[in-house]
Amino acid sequence: MQIALHIGAACTDEDRLLKTLLKNTENFAAEGIKIPGPGKYRRLIRETIQNLNGAPPSAMTRDVLVDAILDDESANRLVMSNSAFICVPNRIFENGVFYDQLEAKLGAFGQIFANDDIELFLGLRNPATFVPAAFEQGKTKNFVEFLSGIQIEQLVWSHVVERIRAVLPQASLTVWCNEDTPLIWAQLVREISGVDPLTKISGGFDLLATIMTEDGMARLGAYLKTHPPQTEVQKRRIIAAFLERYAIEDEIVEEMDLEGWTEEVVNHLTEQYEEDVFRIERMPGVTFISP
């Protein structure tokens, strides 16, 4: 079976991707693609991994899990999403390591589904906005305690990607930037679900509708009908042009109210992030989706 797992990152799409996938459940099921609700697997997989406590799973663990998730139905591809799969936001920097639990969680997952084709999906976010968002969602109110001694220079996603590849080298890994999701949303839905690139989907503009005015969305829809794009790249250019004109500013401008989070720090992290993304795009074993 193909096992597709969207592992976040935390504070990126806020389950919007999962909601769009669930809109297509019936159509995708006809192709052997099952997208169960999160209540079917998030707690179940988390508790299974916790109960293993580092020990190898039994021969029956995988089948019991799959039967419970799919209600004993069959599928060619199982699609799941959990941005807190590795850890909840307040533990992201636990022990002074960016995603310290990565190896344990993904390693156990890989052992459970060792005979399946695992596909991992990861959306990145600029640390300049990622850190404040994670801190806000976390339970800790002390920012220094939240960082657990980690230095901002250590906040590079390429190290996380390298560790994912090291612990699950047999799995495919697809990566993108959260900042680009309004432009690549439909492709993300298709990639994670595993359908043909030309397959029609519901909710292809779900995310865009949250950051563009109603008038802008109406005008975009009308324009696409009268000027249908010939390629995905052309479609993204059209979306970008409308977004530039009709974006809801409060939805695209992110407030960062952290002591010591100066403009200099933000600029440094943003520049470092851009260089890091450039590095990830060229990493072997990584499929990078860009606008």
Side-chain angles (χ1 to χ4, degrees), residues 126-139:
N126 185 348
T129 63
F130 173 75
V131 173
F135 176 63
E136 184 177 348
Q137 287 191 13
K139 299 177 181 178

Side-chain angles (χ1 to χ4, degrees), residues 24-291:
N24 293 274
T25 299
E26 188 173 337
N27 290 337
F28 291 170
E31 299 185 39
I33 303 165
K34 294 298 179 70
I35 307 173
K40 288 285 186 180
Y41 57 84
R42 287 185 177 176
R43 180 177 178 180
L44 182 61
I45 291 178
R46 182 183 72 247
E47 292 182 347
T48 299
I49 291 175
Q50 289 175 342
N51 290 335
L52 288 175
N53 196 28
S58 70
M60 295 295 295
T61 301
R62 181 265 188 202
D63 291 342
V64 170
L65 268 178
V66 170
D67 287 345
I69 294 170
L70 295 178
D71 288 329
D72 294 323
E73 295 182 359
S74 61
N76 299 322
R77 184 179 181 88
L78 171 60
V79 181
M80 299 178 287
S81 175
N82 184 2
S83 62
F85 172 78
I86 296 175
C87 66
V88 291
N90 59 291
R91 302 185 69 181
I92 285 172
F93 305 116
E94 195 170 52
N95 299 319
V97 178
F98 196 6
Y99 277 118
D100 183 47
Q101 299 181 50
L102 184 155
E103 284 80 4
K105 293 292 183 65
L106 284 178
F109 187 84
Q111 286 186 314
I112 293 171
F113 297 101
N115 296 317
D116 295 293
D117 295 327
I118 299 175
E119 300 179 23
L120 301 176
F121 296 84
L122 175 67
L124 313 179
R125 181 172 176 176
N126 185 348
T129 63
F130 173 75
V131 173
F135 176 63
E136 184 177 348
Q137 287 191 13
K139 299 177 181 178
T140 304
K141 299 306 177 184
N142 184 304
F143 186 57
V144 174
E145 183 179 328
F146 170 69
L147 288 178
S148 300
I150 198 170
Q151 301 299 311
I152 58 174
E153 289 77 13
Q154 297 172 276
L155 300 179
V156 289
W157 287 106
S158 57
H159 293 171
V160 173
V161 172
E162 286 171 349
R163 289 164 56 206
I164 292 173
R165 294 288 302 133
V167 71
L168 281 181
Q170 76 277 21
S172 67
L173 175 61
T174 299
V175 180
W176 65 92
C177 291
N178 186 61
E179 295 80 9
D180 296 331
T181 49
L183 302 179
I184 61 174
W185 192 251
Q187 183 180 353
L188 284 180
V189 174
R190 292 188 179 97
E191 293 284 350
I192 295 176
S193 59
V195 297
D196 185 273
L198 299 178
T199 300
K200 289 186 177 181
I201 61 170
S202 299
F205 288 141
D206 281 0
L207 181 60
L208 195 62
T210 67
I211 61 175
M212 187 184 289
T213 65
E214 288 186 18
D215 181 50
M217 288 299 299
R219 289 174 181 269
L220 173 62
Y223 185 88
L224 291 175
K225 284 183 179 180
T226 56
H227 302 78
Q230 301 303 307
T231 66
E232 187 66 28
V233 172
Q234 187 181 8
K235 179 181 177 182
R236 290 174 187 175
R237 287 174 179 166
I238 295 170
I239 293 174
F242 274 81
L243 190 57
E244 184 175 356
R245 183 173 181 182
Y246 295 104
I248 303 172
E249 189 169 348
D250 289 347
E251 295 295 333
I252 62 174
V253 176
E254 298 174 285
E255 297 292 334
M256 291 166 285
D257 186 21
L258 278 177
E259 185 177 351
W261 219 245
T262 63
E263 183 177 352
E264 182 181 2
V265 170
V266 170
N267 290 339
H268 169 71
L269 289 176
T270 300
E271 182 178 341
Q272 179 177 277
Y273 175 59
E274 291 171 352
E275 293 174 354
D276 200 34
V277 169
F278 183 80
R279 188 179 306 116
I280 293 169
E281 286 181 291
R282 286 150 183 79
M283 291 174 66
V286 175
T287 298
F288 193 92
I289 301 176
S290 58

